[in-house]
Amino acid sequence: MEEKRLVITIGRQYGSGGREIGARLAQDLGFGFYDKNILRLNSDESGIKESYFYLADERPGNKLLYKIITGLVPEDKMPSFGADLISADNLFRFQSAVIRKLAEAENCVIIGRCADYILEGTDGLVRIYLYADMDARIQRIERLGYFDSKDVKKNIKRMDRERREYHRYYTGREWESTENYDLMLNTAKLGVDGCVEAIKQYLIICGYGQYVK
């Protein structure tokens, strides 16, 4: 009997521990793990300088063009090598192509980057969203030392806003909407280990027990 393919996407609030949980889950399952390393794959695929992908990473396109998405969205088009080579929308198209290829090639865990939307309809797709209360996120970011203590809350709100706008711009959907996900977990309540275990139990219930060690 052919083994069912499994691709897990993880959306996450900034400071909720999404990357750590995703990495731990991928390690436990023996899956590929893709977060910012997708940007390197994008660069290799397109030949576009990697720094351009970092500039566009999880940020919406030109805000002057910001609108409710109707009809054909950018990711449905093929990447361009023309005058718009390094535009945010074109970089997103390259990124979408890389994400689809990863999902076709192997079982994997993919963090953010609208992967839940890009892979919609894919067999074996499990979409997860991780969140936490603000105090817990502030404590986590302070421990990591990314910002001065006085600036932590402000930057958490900024990063959440950028991710929310990025998701809305490229999908026409609300980032935190329950309709976008199969499982939503509060990382402040469960912790990293608890979230990893909860996801494993969910996979077992959904018929993917062969991957859970």
Side-chain angles (χ1 to χ4, degrees):
M1 184 176 175
E2 186 178 350
E3 196 171 63
K4 294 169 70 175
R5 182 181 52 174
L6 178 57
V7 178
I8 300 168
T9 64
I10 298 180
R12 72 284 182 233
Q13 288 183 327
Y14 186 70
S16 64
R19 189 185 191 285
E20 182 180 354
I21 291 166
R24 181 87 62 83
L25 179 67
Q27 182 179 25
D28 286 0
L29 298 177
F31 283 14
F33 175 70
Y34 298 99
D35 185 10
K36 286 191 179 297
N37 53 346
I38 283 180
L39 304 180
R40 165 57 65 185
L41 293 172
N42 290 341
S43 184
D44 292 344
E45 177 73 19
S46 65
I48 301 172
K49 190 174 180 181
E50 186 176 2
S51 59
Y52 289 124
F53 283 101
Y54 277 103
L55 289 173
D57 187 32
E58 293 198 300
R59 293 178 176 83
N62 189 330
K63 290 187 179 181
L64 294 175
L65 300 178
Y66 183 83
K67 60 182 181 296
I68 297 175
I69 303 298
T70 57
L72 190 65
V73 296
E75 66 94 8
D76 284 332
K77 302 177 184 177
M78 292 299 292
S80 166
F81 287 90
D84 65 340
L85 178 65
I86 60 172
S87 71
D89 288 349
N90 198 50
L91 295 178
F92 183 81
R93 290 193 287 271
F94 277 113
Q95 180 167 273
S96 299
V98 169
I99 287 172
R100 291 191 191 96
K101 288 183 178 181
L102 290 171
E104 291 171 2
E106 63 177 345
N107 298 317
C108 55
V109 176
I110 302 175
I111 304 293
R113 292 158 187 86
C114 299
D116 56 291
Y117 174 77
I118 292 165
L119 298 176
E120 188 173 51
T122 300
D123 290 337
L125 176 65
V126 174
R127 306 163 301 166
I128 295 167
Y129 185 80
L130 302 175
Y131 65 97
D133 60 77
M134 181 59 74
D135 287 345
R137 292 195 283 155
I138 288 173
Q139 290 175 17
R140 181 179 183 82
I141 297 302
E142 284 182 339
R143 287 198 305 271
L144 293 171
Y146 291 160
F147 308 103
D148 290 340
S149 293
K150 62 181 177 60
D151 296 325
V152 168
K153 186 173 183 179
K154 174 181 67 178
N155 279 287
I156 288 174
K157 290 183 176 181
R158 174 182 60 82
M159 292 294 291
D160 277 352
R161 182 176 65 254
E162 288 180 356
R163 289 177 180 179
R164 185 177 299 111
E165 291 178 355
Y166 176 89
H167 195 278
R168 186 186 295 137
Y169 179 84
Y170 286 111
T171 72
R173 300 175 180 179
E174 292 304 316
W175 180 46
E176 297 102 333
S177 174
T178 58
E179 296 177 357
N180 298 328
Y181 307 102
D182 304 304
L183 179 66
M184 304 179 80
L185 297 173
N186 186 332
T187 65
K189 298 292 186 182
L190 294 173
V192 172
D193 292 340
C195 284
V196 171
E197 185 60 30
I199 295 169
K200 287 180 180 179
Q201 291 303 312
Y202 181 79
L203 295 178
I204 291 172
I205 293 169
C206 292
Y208 297 102
Q210 69 270 34
Y211 295 113
V212 179
K213 301 173 183 178

